[in-house]
Amino acid sequence: MSLPEILCVAMSLSLCAALLLGFPVAFTLAGVALLFAGLGSLMGAFDLALLGGLPSRVFGIMTNEVLVAVPLFVFMGVALERSQLAERLLAGIGGLFGSMRNGLSIAVVMVGMLMAASTGIVGATVVTMGLLSLPTMLKAGYDPKRATGTICAAGTLGQIIPPSIVLILLADVLQGANIQAQLARGNFAPDSVSVLDLFAGAFLPGLLLVAFYLFWQFWVAWRHPDSCPPLSGKRHWRAVTRDILPLVVLIVAVLGSIVTGVATPTESAAVGAAGAIGLAGWHGQLTVTILRQIMEKTARISAMIFTILIGASVFSLVFRGLEGDQLVASALGDLPGGRMTAMMILMVGIFLLGFILDFIEIIFVVVPILGPVLLGMGFDPVWFGVMIALNLQTSFLTPPFGFALFYLRGVAPPSVRTRDIYRGAIPFIILQIIVLGLLALFPSLATWLPRALF
């Protein structure tokens, strides 16, 4: 290995060590990169003139219209959470299915799907449903494993169902990675990878995963009826209609305007944010205090995302300056089994990184480095992006380090053991692996709809 490549490997290991010690991700990315840039300059292995490209990168992030959709969708999700619209939605769907055996579990899956399509924020969805539905399910006599597993799995649907923030960020990163890969292959007119493509590509796999979740609920109700008893009481159809239909209309308006091309993702996100505020006001849950809380939380989450993005840009710039991209290309290209082995190694690596890093760090650090190499091997960028999103979702649900499990553990009552949460998640992990395998075997699950629509 050459000196720049040695420094590149050392920089990557130093980054992992610093993150494991608990240092802030965004500042660790930039700090470690600048430290090794200086070290490489002293050793004659790095040209500091490359850092002159940082201002243009930061300016490009600030002026990227696609990324403007991120704080707007965050605002939409936080508004639905803080104004108790999510609570009304859960109560409404619970009233619709509660009289069925396993009806509450079905309601949780349906609410998770709707919350995913309206927020895309995994932590908020898991915590909200854990606070609202777990006590009700336990009081009704549900097995703690069934209840906690369903809540964790439904909460992670925000990773894959549009308009997932994961997909928005992935689309932006994959666009650059695909252009770089196609230029390296001699294609000087590469096709673009838009947010629309990734939304459409994730739609069918997301619905397939929801269908598998629901199938599992019916199977459990048939095989173990005592673990999921029905609720007593009448269905209040007027309340159900009042609480469910407005949010469904908002979701259809947001996603429909994107898919039909009536509006860009950013414009649709603005409609969603305004619609969430309108619904909160209509239900009488919007006050000045709540609005201030919504804006403050949106600002914190958005600032965190963009700070990490800037730090990751510094890291990737130094990584390439130390010839790290060439090192990765040669390492993956020399693997036995060709591109499928390289893809499998990447998927396993992302799965393991999901235990210790949030999806934002993985998308901004790993995908820009390894994405051009894998896409240069001929993989479809839309399929590649949906595979990563589904893989991250599986990682966040897997014991003992899955983020969704930690979120639920933080709000679950002491009577629910951590072991029950882990065991409850296992069937859903198996279902996600099955869907991931089907997507790997049949890439058209992700590529057919974008091609048919666009």
Side-chain angles (χ1 to χ4, degrees), residues 179-227:
I179 290 175
Q180 184 179 344
Q182 295 303 315
L183 291 177
R185 298 179 67 182
N187 180 10
F188 296 101
D191 294 330
S192 62
V193 182
S194 67
V195 178
L196 298 178
D197 294 326
L198 221 53
F199 278 6
F203 190 73
L204 290 180
L207 289 183
L208 180 62
L209 189 59
V210 171
F212 273 48
Y213 283 1
L214 293 176
F215 172 80
W216 171 250
Q217 301 301 338
F218 287 114
W219 173 266
V220 169
W222 177 55
R223 297 291 296 175
H224 306 282
D226 294 336
S227 67

Side-chain angles (χ1 to χ4, degrees), residues 381-421:
V382 173
W383 173 82
F384 182 70
V386 176
M387 285 285 290
I388 291 175
L390 192 56
N391 189 11
L392 285 173
Q393 180 185 356
T394 308
S395 177
F396 290 168
L397 191 60
T398 303
F401 303 113
F403 283 124
L405 309 178
F406 290 149
Y407 290 139
L408 185 60
R409 175 68 276 175
V411 298
S415 59
V416 176
R417 297 173 297 180
T418 303
R419 182 175 62 182
D420 291 333
I421 299 176

Side-chain angles (χ1 to χ4, degrees), residues 133-174:
S133 62
L134 184 56
T136 304
M137 297 175 79
L138 296 177
K139 185 178 179 180
Y142 273 67
D143 186 312
K145 296 189 295 295
R146 311 290 182 208
T148 54
T150 301
I151 292 171
C152 287
T156 61
L157 288 172
Q159 296 283 75
I160 189 67
I161 294 181
S164 165
I165 293 177
V166 175
L167 298 177
I168 296 173
L169 299 176
L170 261 175
D172 183 68
V173 174
L174 285 175

